[in-house]
Amino acid sequence: MRNKAMAKTLNIDFMGMRRAAAIVSGAVLVIALLSMLLRGFDFGLDFTGGTVIEVGYETPTELAEVTGALEAGGFVGATVQHFGSRQDVLIRLAPGSDDEGASAQLSDRVFQALSAAAAGEVDLRRVEFVGPQVGEELREQGGLAVLFSLIGILIYVALRFEWRFAVGSVVALVHDVIVVLGVFSLFQISFDLTVLAAVLAVIGYSLNDTIVVFDRVRENFRKMRKGTVTEIINASIGQTLSRTVVTSCTTLLVLVALYMLGGEVISGFSLALIIGVVVGTYSSIYVATAAVVWMGLNKTDLLPPEKEGAGADVRP
């Protein structure tokens, strides 16, 4: 009776749509990879190097006025954005001939240009310099962090479940990472350390969702003796779908609020997480489990091994 109740939890043929989902995923991955190959990324200051200057105004200031004052002072191509409020402004200057020792002189020239054009007093609050070599090192270390996390996940899931589950989970995680990176490359959204941190968070979130589905699949393989592999997987996804939807929706509510109200500083971070949560929910159903089915998972792979002498006729 319990097995029948589990099978009737949600009668949706998820695995019957896996071929159509594979076509959609393949097309999205091709577009993302071509964009990363041809367009590259709009790397932020953390990876390219440069100078960050934070200033405060007495009254709310328009960004166009700040940009005009910088261009009048000879700083063309600076990135200007509000930082917290309309009185706080964050200025990013691309790397030039100035080294770290000359960054103080550079900030003084910027401060003088802004003070000359401002109606009130301007307060210089913070100056940070990132050298090009440091930015390149951070870019390499960020890529290694993603690679090592995927390798660690592959080993953990292989030991915790079964090697097909490990491959399926890593395939889903690679799918999610490529989609997130592809969106940032396609639309040339600034990619900095906060976005890289979001990508790593997406890996953890997507893996957690996939592990929940895989754990229920393993449990049902041992309890539901009747039914094909796809039927058991469909029942397992149906049983965990409500949990997945509720978790994803509540997470998205917070992330959308951060994206809409958090300002430019964390907009890339929250956007990457929004894309990752949506894609991760999809991949835990149509990428991870579909990959397991295509690799030929069967019931004997997940049944517990029989204990030696369990079937023997034991007599007192």
Side-chain angles (χ1 to χ4, degrees):
M1 295 295 293
R2 185 179 179 184
N3 291 346
K4 291 181 179 180
M6 287 194 298
K8 294 179 180 179
T9 301
L10 197 60
N11 189 19
I12 299 178
D13 187 12
F14 295 99
M15 291 297 97
M17 296 179 282
R18 66 182 183 274
R19 291 180 177 82
I23 295 174
V24 173
S25 295
V28 172
L29 291 179
V30 168
I31 295 174
L33 291 172
L34 287 176
S35 177
M36 287 187 285
L37 181 64
L38 299 177
R39 293 172 61 87
F41 293 95
D42 180 19
F43 287 113
L45 184 69
D46 298 327
F47 297 124
T48 61
T51 305
V52 175
I53 301 174
E54 181 185 343
V55 295
Y57 286 82
E58 285 185 340
T59 58
T61 305
E62 297 295 332
L63 296 180
E65 299 177 2
V66 180
T67 303
L70 291 173
E71 291 178 351
F75 302 99
V76 180
T79 302
V80 180
Q81 64 189 53
H82 286 300
F83 183 76
S85 69
R86 296 178 63 84
Q87 296 176 238
D88 302 319
V89 177
L90 194 68
I91 303 169
R92 300 174 184 266
L93 300 174
S97 59
D98 296 291
D99 55 8
E100 187 172 2
S103 62
Q105 299 178 0
L106 178 65
S107 60
D108 288 340
R109 300 206 317 265
V110 170
F111 179 71
Q112 292 173 5
L114 296 177
S115 299
E121 184 179 352
V122 180
D123 182 22
L124 181 63
R125 296 179 176 175
R126 178 168 63 98
V127 178
E128 291 184 2
F129 176 84
V130 179
Q133 292 182 351
V134 175
E136 183 178 358
E137 182 179 352
L138 289 174
R139 189 164 61 245
E140 294 177 356
Q141 291 179 349
L144 290 175
V146 175
L147 178 61
F148 289 153
S149 64
L150 292 177
I151 294 175
I153 289 168
L154 179 65
I155 297 173
Y156 166 76
V157 180
L159 296 175
R160 183 70 173 80
F161 291 90
E162 205 258 351
W163 71 267
R164 293 178 182 85
F165 284 151
V167 174
S169 63
V170 171
V171 168
L173 294 179
V174 172
H175 169 275
D176 299 344
V177 170
I178 291 177
V179 172
V180 174
L181 296 179
V183 171
F184 276 78
S185 172
L186 186 63
F187 297 99
Q188 289 295 288
I189 305 172
S190 179
F191 192 94
D192 54 18
L193 279 178
T194 61
V195 177
L196 178 60
V199 172
L200 294 174
V202 165
I203 292 176
Y205 182 91
S206 179
L207 177 66
N208 177 71
D209 208 19
T210 302
I211 290 298
V212 169
V213 176
F214 281 172
D215 194 52
R216 184 57 59 90
V217 170
R218 180 178 60 178
E219 179 182 352
N220 285 341
F221 262 71
R222 297 177 179 180
K223 291 181 178 180
M224 299 171 64
R225 298 296 181 177
K226 295 182 180 180
T228 64
V229 171
T230 55
E231 288 175 349
I232 295 175
I233 290 179
N234 285 334
S236 302
I237 296 174
Q239 293 164 19
T240 58
L241 188 62
S242 60
R243 175 261 176 204
T244 300
V245 171
V246 170
T247 303
S248 299
C249 289
T250 53
T251 305
L252 284 174
L253 286 175
V254 177
L255 294 175
V256 170
L258 285 176
Y259 181 74
M260 299 295 294
L261 305 175
E264 294 289 335
V265 176
I266 61 171
S267 62
F269 174 81
S270 53
L271 178 61
L273 283 176
I274 290 173
I275 300 170
V277 168
V278 174
V279 177
T281 303
Y282 160 84
S283 68
S284 63
I285 299 173
Y286 289 111
V287 178
T289 53
V292 169
V293 172
W294 275 320
M295 284 185 290
L297 182 71
N298 56 65
K299 293 183 178 181
T300 59
D301 295 325
L302 296 178
L303 290 177
E306 294 185 1
K307 295 182 179 180
E308 187 176 352
D313 186 11
V314 179
R315 296 181 179 178

